[in-house]
């Protein structure tokens, strides 16, 4: 951008809410422009001078953030209509005025802060872990082909940010669908040589309430995932695995 | 219902293809005979009507599956919060169309059934004349046109979804090619359906 | 007494590991964290974790690892715990592998290892360039499993305010505040493990996450815990300058063949390769940082005269870069908008890690009985400078030591915390309630975030790479002025619900207290050692300064008193640290 075309200041319209049951309202802020700004640094500027564009003193907007490198998953919010991480949302690349809203799929705590605990509960429900015997030294782990490791690693980058749930039309207050993120974790743990020993348990978990049946294949999740996780492929793999599992359950298998 | 949700969803998806999807193809094929004249259509239609155990077959192969597919489908459609406004991706549009076409089909099929099968049960012979008469109203023509397109869309896109839900199409590449195939099916069946429709006008 | 109960403050690698260990011993754990533990700062570690597994036929061993670590830390670390850590390292890597960490593999399906700074061996296991994230997730999953088992109770979005300490200097619990309801509560425990992480936020902008305020450690220091070696702050040589933070470009970039250079006389100058032929680009961080700083600030040879040099990976195979360094390549592309496969990255040093921290004994217990510390908030394993990829190791190992030792400690108690008089706990809670009430009533004309920015600017300017006694003293003066101005903060937000401004204001005070510990510790130490460099005293001085700094809070002066303690050098005799040739 050339010197002259740079704006002097940028406008942000923030949807605010004082508490879980309070009514939402909008406030407009104006912050001085600086090169290479992201949404977080704009919010930080507001926090240092919490005055609206109309000159009214107000409380600084509340939001979540932590690593600012897009690995912690904290700063998800809806920016110009799209859920994403605020840290990677560069001001120069956004349409102005910038609209910031909380991710409405989740219960609002305050302003841009939402309660994503349902995602962590879902991880419990699908048993997203390797059931190791203990943390004492039991020698090396199982071998694994590097090629398999590479795709499994992509799945393991999920930071539970909630963007995929926000984009999914089937995750809402009318359904108990757990959403794409925890499903993909089932694929990850079922792919691990030790995790595979408890494959059936995890498949049964996602064949239960809130599980994979809730997916309607709108495939928004894979489009919005900030880590580029192949969520719809994971779900398709699990579709095949659960169909196989239900056949084994019904008709019986070798170990029956 | 909670505990059986997985089974019900998969059954819903399966019934949409077998038998409902198959029936749709047979039905459109019979209708297509109308393009060869009234006699050809009447002949094909009466061949269907002369199948043994007709009512039983209809009940098991058509009415009950459609009834379940419709009721569960409406439930599915109403649990979604459509969001193509912010997420106007191709698949999301297909997702929304699938739900709207399904809802429209519930109304359309109720009407269609009333006008044809129930009328037949009440003594009106189901033949070329009946349809010509029904379609003399341009409003009804549009209603049928939309109904046929919805049915064909709902089937071809549903066939793709069936292949994904049943774990047949897994890789992104196979899903993409599956989409192309479903589009071809949509175009071909639409041609068959619409030509048959205009044969009655 | 009954089975006992342990409180853990912090849900990063150290906190989670100690939680798993305690739960495995059958002890119930209350785990407190200001964020969901999966978002802890451990996610930011990129390059890898060290362990002498010796799979490359190089003859590596835990002893070599020990020697590299002690030498890299300029002999300031007590050697026995470092030795124990290096010996445990291969087992820790195998454990993580068994937990399902997707470490990069060799063609045979074995763990792959890469080279890092300050060593000649391929000793660093890695999962792309997001190793910290992967390790944290593995431990997070195991803790979740213990949660389902009913042994771990997570309290996320609850902030540690202070420890409950009796007159005999024994810790019996903590006071916390719920960051949503802002309610203040007291929890009893027979042992408390603090794993609250680093303090980079004292420097305003650093490679650290926003929660790394050091507030918990700062509070404990004010409650009488020793803070050791505070003046040793690691400045990472390669980070991307930014408006909101300085983003780390992992040392693994150099471990995988990345080269640092700038233009000199119109030609690329690979300065580290020229200055340190033996280690080249893989000199330890303090050495690389001083070189870059000197080239940019003193010689004015930075790119276009600015404070930046090139970190170049563009000569490497693009696919290999994606597999081994994908995470940091993404970060650079997303935040700078240039493709490191094709063009060299522009980097400059940034505050990264605190070698110092709460003083602990070899069992990870602080000078307050029943209060343990582990992870970056302790001072144990890195001496005057930390080697790359030793932080993940020390965090996990510290947790492995603290957890079982806390269990052993509480088994030896003859009275449970449940039997302590409730007056002790009620007083502690009321004290915090009163403090918080005073914060919420602050209605002056200063802004806490503005004061913080100023603190960070001073600390970054005068207490980082090059330290001079005159400006160190001036900085301490300025911090005290900020402490005066602190009293005139306007809280701006009177909400009684989810009020992060009030929490930050409380943290800011603790940051300033620790800033003084860092600054005055640096002022006192008249030598150069590891990350602490004073041009006035350019040499290491073992005779006077081979000792641990211990800062003790003096309530009368509202500042630190310093004591010094000899370093345990029973295993390796100190020798001159010189990376121009092999050690």
């Amino acid at each position: 951008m050339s010197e002259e075309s740079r704006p002097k200041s940028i406008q942000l319209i923030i949807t605010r809410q004082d508490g879980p049951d309070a009514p939402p309202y909008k406030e407009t802020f104006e912050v001085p422009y600086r090169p290479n700004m992201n949404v977080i640094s704009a919010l930080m500027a507001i926090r240092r001078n919490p005055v609206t564009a109309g000159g009214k003193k107000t409380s600084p907007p509340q939001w979540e953030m932590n690593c600012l490198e897009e690995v912690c998953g904290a700063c998800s919010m809806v920016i110009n209509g799209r859920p994403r991480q605020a840290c990677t949302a560069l001001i120069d690349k956004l349409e102005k005025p910038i609209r910031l809203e909380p991710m409405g799929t989740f219960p609002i705590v305050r302003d841009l802060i939402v309660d994503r605990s349902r995602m962590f509960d879902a991880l419990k429900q699908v048993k997203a872990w390797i059931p190791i015997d203990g943390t004492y030294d039991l020698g090396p782990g199982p071998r694994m082909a590097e090629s398999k490791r590479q795709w499994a690693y992509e799945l393991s980058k999920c930071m539970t940010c909630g963007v995929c749930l926000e984009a999914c039309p089937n995750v809402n207050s009318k359904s108990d669908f757990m959403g794409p993120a925890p499903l993909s974790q089932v694929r990850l743990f079922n792919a691990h040589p030790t995790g595979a020993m408890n494959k059936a348990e995890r498949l049964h978990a996602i064949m239960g309430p809130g599980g994979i049946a809730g997916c309607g294949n709108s495939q928004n999740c894979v489009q919005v995932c900030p880590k580029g996780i192949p969520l719809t492929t994971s779900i398709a793999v699990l579709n095949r695995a659960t169909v196989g599992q239900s056949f084994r359950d019904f008709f019986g298998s070798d170990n029956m | 219902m909670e505990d059986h949700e997985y089974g019900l969803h998969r059954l819903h998806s399966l019934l949409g293809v077998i038998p409902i999807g198959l029936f749709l193809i047979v039905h459109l094929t019979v209708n297509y005979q109308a393009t060869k004249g009234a006699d050809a259509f009447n002949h094909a239609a009466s061949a269907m009507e002369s199948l043994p155990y007709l009512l039983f077959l209809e009940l098991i192969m058509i009415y009950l599956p459609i009834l379940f597919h419709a009721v569960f489908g409406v439930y599915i459609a109403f649990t979604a919060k459509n969001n193509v406004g912010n997420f106007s991706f191709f698949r999301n549009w297909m997702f929304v169309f699938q739900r709207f076409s399904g809802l429209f089909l519930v109304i359309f099929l109720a009407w269609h059934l009333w006008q044809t099968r129930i009328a037949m049960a009440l003594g009106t012979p189901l033949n070329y004349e009946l349809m010509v008469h029904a379609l003399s109203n341009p409003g009804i023509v549009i209603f049928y046109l939309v109904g046929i397109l919805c049915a064909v869309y709902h089937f071809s896109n549903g066939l793709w979804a069936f292949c994904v839900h049943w774990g047949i199409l897994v890789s992104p590449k196979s899903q993409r090619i599956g989409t192309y195939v479903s589009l071809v099916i949509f175009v071909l069946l639409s041609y068959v359906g619409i030509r048959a429709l205009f044969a009655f006008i | 007494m009954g089975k006992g109960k342990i409180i853990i403050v912090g849900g990063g690698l150290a906190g989670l590991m100690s939680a798993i260990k305690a739960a495995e011993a059958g002890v119930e754990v209350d785990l407190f964290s200001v964020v969901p533990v999966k978002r802890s700062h451990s996610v930011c570690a990129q390059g890898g974790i060290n362990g002498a597994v010796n799979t490359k036929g190089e003859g590596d061993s835990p002893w070599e690892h020990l020697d590299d670590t002690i030498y890299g830390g300029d002999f300031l670390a007590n050697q026995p715990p470092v030795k124990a850590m290096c010996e445990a390292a291969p087992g820790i890597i195998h454990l993580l592998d068994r937990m399902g960490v997707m470490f990069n593999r060799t063609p045979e399906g074995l763990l792959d290892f890469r080279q890092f700074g300050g060593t000649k061996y391929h000793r660093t296991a890695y999962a792309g360039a997001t190793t910290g994230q992967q390790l944290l997730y593995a431990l997070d999953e195991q803790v979740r499993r213990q949660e389902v088992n009913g042994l771990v109770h997570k309290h996320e979005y609850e902030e540690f305010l202070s420890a409950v300490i009796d007159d005999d200097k024994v810790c019996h619990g903590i006071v916390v505040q719920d960051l949503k309801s802002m309610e203040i509560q007291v929890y009893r425990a027979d042992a408390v493990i603090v794993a609250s992480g680093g303090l980079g936020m004292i420097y305003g902008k650093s490679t650290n996450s926003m929660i790394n305020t050091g507030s918990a450690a700062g509070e404990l220091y004010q409650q009488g815990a020793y803070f050791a070696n505070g003046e040793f702050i690691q400045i990472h040589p390669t980070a991307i300058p930014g408006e909101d933070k300085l983003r780390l470009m992992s040392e693994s970039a150099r471990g995988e063949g990345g080269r640092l250079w700038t233009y000199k006389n119109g030609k690329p100058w690979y300065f580290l390769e020229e200055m340190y032929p033996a280690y080249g680009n893989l000199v330890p961080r303090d050495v690389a940082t001083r070189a870059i700083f000197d080239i940019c600030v003193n010689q004015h040879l930075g790119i276009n005269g600015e404070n930046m040099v090139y970190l170049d990976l563009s000569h490497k195979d693009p696919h290999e870069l994606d597999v081994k360094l994908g995470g940091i390549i993404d970060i650079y592309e997303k935040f700078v908008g240039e493709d490191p496969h094709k063009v060299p990255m522009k980097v400059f040093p940034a505050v990264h890690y605190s070698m110092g921290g709460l003083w602990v004994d070899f069992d990870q217990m602080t000078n307050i009985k029943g209060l343990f510390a582990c992870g970056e908030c302790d001072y144990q394993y890195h001496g005057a400078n930390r080697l790359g990829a030793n932080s993940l190791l020390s965090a996990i190992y510290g947790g492995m030591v603290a957890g079982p030792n806390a269990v052993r400690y509480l088994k030896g108690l003859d009275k449970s915390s449940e039997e302590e008089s409730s007056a002790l706990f009620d007083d502690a809670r009321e004290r915090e309630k009163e403090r918080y009430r005073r914060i919420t009533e602050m209605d002056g004309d200063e802004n806490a975030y503005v004061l913080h920015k100023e603190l960070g600017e001073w600390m970054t300017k005068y207490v980082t790479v090059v330290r001079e006694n005159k400006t160190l003293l001036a900085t301490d003066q300025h911090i005290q002025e900020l402490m005066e101005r602190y009293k005139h903060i306007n809280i701006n937000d009177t909400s009684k619900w989810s009020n992060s401004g009030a929490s930050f204001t409380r943290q800011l005070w603790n940051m300033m207290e620790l800033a003084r510990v860092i600054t005055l510790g640096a002022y006192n130490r008249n030598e150069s050692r590891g990350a602490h460099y004073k041009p006035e005293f350019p040499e290491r001085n073992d005779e006077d300064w081979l000792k641990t700094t211990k800062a003790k809070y003096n309530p009368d002066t509202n500042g630190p008193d310093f004591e010094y303690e000899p370093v345990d050098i029973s295993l390796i005799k100190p020798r001159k640290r010189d990376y121009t040739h092999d050690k």
Side-chain angles (χ1 to χ4, degrees):
Chain A
M1 212 185 288
S2 70
E3 285 292 331
E4 308 85 70
S5 67
R6 272 183 190 156
K8 278 205 168 54
S9 67
I10 42 164
Q11 235 180 32
L12 294 103
I13 302 171
I14 304 179
T15 302
R16 307 195 54 177
Q17 186 168 326
D18 295 341
D21 305 316
Y25 59 98
K26 285 187 167 55
E27 269 183 351
T28 305
F29 296 90
E30 204 152 307
V31 297
Y33 173 86
R34 296 179 59 124
N36 301 323
M37 262 182 128
N38 56 4
V39 164
I40 295 284
S41 48
L43 283 167
M44 284 174 163
I46 295 174
R47 178 166 88 167
R48 284 193 292 269
N49 181 27
V51 175
T52 66
K56 187 177 102 189
K57 273 192 92 166
T58 183
S59 60
Q62 307 284 307
W63 76 97
E64 275 191 271
M65 61 167 170
N66 197 24
C67 77
L68 307 189
E69 293 174 5
E70 207 175 60
V71 282
C72 80
C75 66
S76 312
M77 57 183 76
V78 179
I79 300 170
N80 288 349
R82 276 291 173 85
R84 54 182 300 184
Q85 304 310 113
C87 62
T88 44
L90 304 181
I91 298 287
D92 287 340
K93 294 187 181 160
L94 292 171
E95 192 189 302
K96 321 282 184 312
I98 297 162
R99 289 170 290 122
L100 304 182
E101 295 159 79
M103 294 198 294
T105 290
F106 300 94
I108 312 280
V109 174
R110 186 180 170 191
D111 296 340
L112 301 168
I113 302 177
V114 295
D115 178 2
R116 284 172 277 188
S117 49
R118 61 171 288 173
M119 295 189 75
F120 296 104
D121 293 339
L123 291 175
K124 287 182 195 159
Q125 194 187 330
V126 303
K127 302 184 198 312
W129 52 71
I130 305 287
I132 57 164
D133 288 348
T135 57
Y136 24 88
D137 194 353
L138 292 173
R143 290 192 185 193
M144 197 189 291
E146 169 65 11
S147 53
K148 183 180 187 181
R149 198 283 310 176
Q150 282 181 18
W151 66 252
Y153 172 68
E154 294 303 317
L155 309 185
S156 71
K157 289 198 284 195
C158 173
M159 51 193 188
T160 326
C161 68
V163 164
C164 61
L165 272 73
E166 174 72 11
C168 177
N170 277 4
V171 176
N172 59 57
S173 52
K174 290 177 284 186
S175 97
D176 59 358
F177 179 43
M178 61 176 64
L183 291 177
S184 186
Q185 293 297 298
V186 171
R187 181 185 177 209
L188 169 65
F189 289 101
N190 282 3
H192 187 271
T194 314
M197 296 174 189
N198 302 65
K199 219 173 176 163
E201 262 180 61
R202 291 188 203 93
L203 291 178
H204 283 141
I206 60 166
M207 288 158 74
I212 194 165
C215 170
N217 263 300
S218 78
Q219 304 208 336
N220 289 347
C221 53
V222 75
Q223 303 275 356
V224 297
C225 174
K227 302 313 275 184
I229 298 171
L231 292 164
T232 48
T233 309
S234 287
I235 292 173
V237 166
L238 294 170
N239 276 328
R240 182 178 288 177
T242 50
V243 167
Q245 185 63 38
S246 47
F247 274 90
R248 277 193 295 281
D249 290 346
F250 185 79
F251 293 107
S253 63
D254 302 348
N255 48 24
M256 220 165 203
Chain B
M1 194 167 77
E2 282 264 296
D3 292 345
H4 307 291
E5 191 137 330
Y6 179 79
L8 291 173
H9 268 95
R10 291 297 170 267
L11 180 66
H12 174 255
S13 163
L14 177 67
L15 292 179
V17 178
I18 305 165
I20 303 171
L22 283 180
F23 170 70
L24 176 72
I25 294 173
V26 170
H27 190 355
L28 292 177
T29 309
V30 169
N31 295 357
Y32 193 71
Q33 302 310 309
T35 59
K36 297 171 191 161
D39 285 348
F41 173 76
N42 287 340
H43 182 72
S46 63
M48 296 301 292
E49 280 164 36
S50 62
L51 283 174
Y53 320 116
L54 181 64
L55 197 63
F56 178 73
L57 274 182
E58 279 181 324
L59 193 69
I60 294 298
M61 302 295 286
I62 305 172
Y63 300 137
L64 287 179
I66 288 187
L67 187 67
F68 170 78
H69 194 87
V71 170
F72 198 69
V74 168
Y75 159 73
I76 292 177
F78 280 105
T79 46
K81 207 170 113 193
N82 297 312
N83 55 14
V84 277
N86 281 333
F87 307 95
S88 50
F89 308 118
F90 171 76
R91 268 283 143 222
N92 199 24
W93 277 109
M94 298 297 105
F95 171 91
V96 172
F97 288 153
Q98 187 72 2
R99 273 137 192 83
F100 282 123
S101 62
L103 290 175
F104 181 77
L105 282 169
V106 173
I107 300 162
F108 173 73
L109 288 181
W111 168 262
H112 179 55
L113 210 61
W114 168 257
Q115 201 179 34
T116 58
R117 188 62 183 86
I118 295 177
M120 184 175 109
L122 296 176
T124 317
L126 181 56
N127 57 21
Y128 187 82
E129 291 303 313
L130 176 85
M131 289 315 293
V132 169
H133 178 72
L135 291 168
S136 57
N137 179 339
I140 298 294
V141 173
I142 292 170
F143 187 57
Y144 264 86
L145 185 66
V146 176
I148 290 167
L149 283 176
C150 278
V152 171
Y153 171 79
H154 197 81
F155 167 67
S156 28
N157 186 55
L159 185 63
W160 178 88
F162 165 82
C163 290
V164 174
H165 283 139
W166 281 77
I168 297 163
L169 299 178
V170 169
S171 70
K173 190 176 170 189
S174 71
Q175 292 191 5
R176 198 169 55 245
I177 291 172
T179 302
Y180 300 147
V181 171
S182 70
L183 282 174
V184 170
I185 293 174
F186 172 70
V187 170
L188 292 179
L189 284 182
S190 298
Y191 174 79
V192 170
I194 293 170
R195 268 210 68 190
L197 175 68
F198 285 102
F200 292 106
I201 302 170
Chain C
M1 65 171 279
K3 283 196 335 206
K5 200 161 196 187
I6 291 179
I7 278 176
I8 296 172
V9 178
L13 284 176
L16 295 182
M17 192 68 232
S18 55
I20 295 168
K21 279 290 182 189
E24 231 172 43
V27 176
E28 268 191 67
V29 173
D30 277 307
L31 177 60
F32 294 84
S33 173
V34 287
V35 291
V37 297
K38 203 177 174 177
R39 312 204 194 285
S40 302
H41 178 62
S42 302
V43 289
C44 287
Q46 297 169 344
I49 176 166
N50 283 337
V53 182
N54 189 31
T55 57
K56 306 265 180 192
E58 296 169 327
D60 194 11
S61 67
W63 182 269
E64 282 301 320
H65 186 184
L66 164 70
D67 192 67
D68 283 340
T69 304
I70 295 296
Y71 184 73
D74 231 348
F75 295 91
L76 194 65
N78 289 315
Q79 296 176 2
V82 179
K83 176 163 180 276
M85 173 178 83
C86 295
E87 281 168 350
I92 288 175
I93 291 174
H94 287 145
L95 167 64
L96 293 163
D97 184 25
R98 283 171 41 228
M99 287 178 180
V101 173
M102 290 297 164
F103 284 121
N104 284 51
R105 308 248 159 194
T106 65
E108 210 178 311
L110 296 169
L111 297 180
D112 198 6
F113 288 82
R114 66 174 155 217
Q115 224 187 322
F116 242 71
T119 185
K120 294 280 196 174
Y121 298 97
H122 287 78
R123 187 188 286 149
T124 309
Y126 61 104
T130 62
T131 314
Q133 182 194 38
Q134 298 301 310
L135 302 197
L136 183 75
Y137 290 1
L139 296 192
D140 174 55
E141 288 145 13
Q142 295 301 323
V143 167
R144 191 162 291 113
R145 189 173 159 220
Q146 296 291 4
E147 234 186 321
V148 172
N149 292 341
L151 282 166
V152 174
H153 311 285
K154 269 191 207 152
H155 303 260
E156 290 169 334
Y157 298 107
E158 288 192 41
E159 186 177 10
F160 166 90
L161 301 185
S162 60
V164 180
I165 300 170
D166 68 14
D167 296 336
D168 301 327
K169 287 265 160 208
V170 183
C171 177
H172 297 288
I174 62 172
V175 187
V176 300
Q177 182 168 37
D178 185 313
L179 295 177
K180 287 178 191 161
S181 69
M182 304 316 279
E183 238 174 279
I184 291 173
Q185 274 184 313
V186 65
Y187 284 82
R188 295 173 183 234
D190 302 294
V192 173
I193 301 173
V194 177
S196 55
L199 44 70
M201 285 297 281
I202 290 176
Y203 286 84
K205 289 196 284 184
S206 70
T207 65
N208 283 199
S209 294
M210 297 300 112
I211 50 172
N212 292 18
T213 57
S215 180
E219 177 65 35
L220 288 167
Y221 149 73
Q222 289 166 81
Q223 287 191 285
Y226 283 111
F227 198 90
N229 288 345
E231 64 269 34
F232 292 96
I233 299 289
Q234 179 163 81
I235 319 297
H236 197 287
T238 58
I240 324 169
E243 265 300 297
D244 49 345
K245 85 170 282 191
L246 312 170
R247 294 179 176 84
L248 178 65
M249 279 296 111
S250 170
E251 188 166 302
S252 56
R254 284 175 287 136
E256 295 293 350
R259 304 172 78 185
L260 284 172
W261 63 276
T262 186
Y263 285 105
K264 188 182 183 184
N265 304 324
K267 273 182 291 191
W269 176 35
Y270 296 93
F271 48 91
L272 287 179
E273 293 166 33
E274 189 181 302
M275 292 155 80
Y276 302 98
Y279 285 79
N281 289 294
L282 285 176
V283 290
R285 292 173 179 173
D286 57 325
V287 179
T289 293
R290 277 194 292 277
I292 297 171
F293 198 82
D294 182 58
I295 283 163
C296 293
V297 177
N298 300 332
Q299 305 185 42
H300 305 288
L301 286 174
I303 307 165
N304 301 328
E306 288 178 62
N307 282 342
M308 281 189 285
V309 295
Y310 288 120
L311 170 57
D312 199 347
L313 284 166
S314 59
H315 56 288
K316 301 286 292 181
D317 171 55
H319 177 69
E320 196 188 327
L321 286 184
D322 287 338
V323 172
K324 294 184 165 174
L325 298 170
I328 60 166
I329 303 264
D330 278 356
I331 290 178
Y332 196 83
E333 274 188 313
K334 280 190 176 167
F335 289 96
V336 182
E338 289 173 352
D339 181 1
H341 298 98
K342 298 189 183 121
V343 297
M345 300 181 274
K346 292 178 213 140
V347 296
F348 193 69
V351 169
H352 182 55
Y353 187 90
S354 167
M355 271 73 71
L358 293 167
W359 180 91
V360 288
D361 64 15
F362 292 179
D363 290 339
Q364 301 289 137
M365 186 147 85
T366 65
N367 57 314
I368 295 166
K369 275 206 200 79
L371 178 68
F372 296 76
C374 57
E376 191 175 337
C377 73
D378 82 29
Y379 89 113
Q380 188 93 294
Y381 298 99
H382 308 296
N385 171 61
R386 175 172 68 75
L387 285 194
N390 263 355
S391 63
L392 293 180
L393 176 62
S394 66
I396 292 174
Y397 179 72
M400 276 184 148
V401 175
N405 278 321
V407 172
R408 196 169 312 130
Y409 167 83
L410 71 85
K411 299 271 186 222
L413 292 174
D414 42 298
K415 196 169 151 201
S416 147
S417 64
E418 295 299 330
E419 297 160 40
E420 292 292 329
S421 86
S422 58
L424 177 70
F425 298 96
D426 293 344
D427 288 353
R429 186 184 54 230
E430 291 314 310
R431 203 163 46 239
E432 289 303 332
K433 278 190 171 170
E434 175 57 22
R435 273 172 73 182
Y436 184 64
R437 188 186 61 76
R438 266 184 274 145
I439 286 176
T440 54
E441 285 170 3
M442 295 175 98
D443 62 350
D445 44 19
E446 297 277 2
N447 179 303
Y449 297 103
V450 173
L451 292 188
H452 173 243
K453 196 164 178 243
E454 213 173 306
L455 172 73
E457 281 161 3
W458 274 75
M459 291 298 289
T460 304
K461 191 158 182 200
Y462 298 118
V463 202
T464 50
V465 186
V466 176
R467 295 157 172 200
E468 278 163 17
N469 279 343
K470 201 175 102 195
T471 47
L472 287 172
L473 263 194
T475 305
D476 183 56
Q477 277 301 322
H478 192 78
I479 299 169
Q480 290 180 66
E481 278 167 40
L482 289 175
M483 285 173 139
E484 268 311 303
R485 283 166 59 194
Y486 177 95
K487 292 169 187 159
H488 307 290
I489 283 176
N490 187 316
I491 205 68
N492 286 327
D493 185 355
T494 51
S495 171
K496 291 186 168 51
W497 173 259
S498 187
N499 188 335
S500 65
S503 305
F504 183 81
T505 304
R506 178 177 50 228
Q507 294 156 5
L508 178 61
W509 181 264
N510 294 339
M511 284 191 244
M512 294 192 297
E513 291 284 5
L514 281 190
R516 289 200 71 195
V517 172
I518 297 167
T519 308
L520 290 174
Y523 173 75
N524 289 341
R525 188 175 277 273
N526 281 331
E527 64 158 351
S528 292
R529 182 187 296 272
H532 172 72
Y533 172 65
K534 268 188 184 173
E536 298 158 85
F537 306 91
E539 295 300 321
R540 188 173 93 193
N541 176 355
D542 283 347
E543 208 172 307
D544 297 326
W545 289 104
L546 182 52
K547 46 196 182 187
T548 301
T549 309
K550 288 168 83 177
K552 190 171 191 293
Y553 180 68
N554 182 339
D556 300 327
T557 59
N558 183 32
D561 290 341
F562 288 94
E563 296 169 23
Y564 294 90
E565 180 182 273
V567 178
D568 185 332
I569 47 167
S570 53
L571 300 168
I572 301 171
K573 216 171 123 254
R575 59 186 191 271
K576 187 173 161 56
R577 184 173 181 255
D578 179 1
Y579 285 94
T580 56
H581 50 73
D582 291 346
K583 57 177 184 159

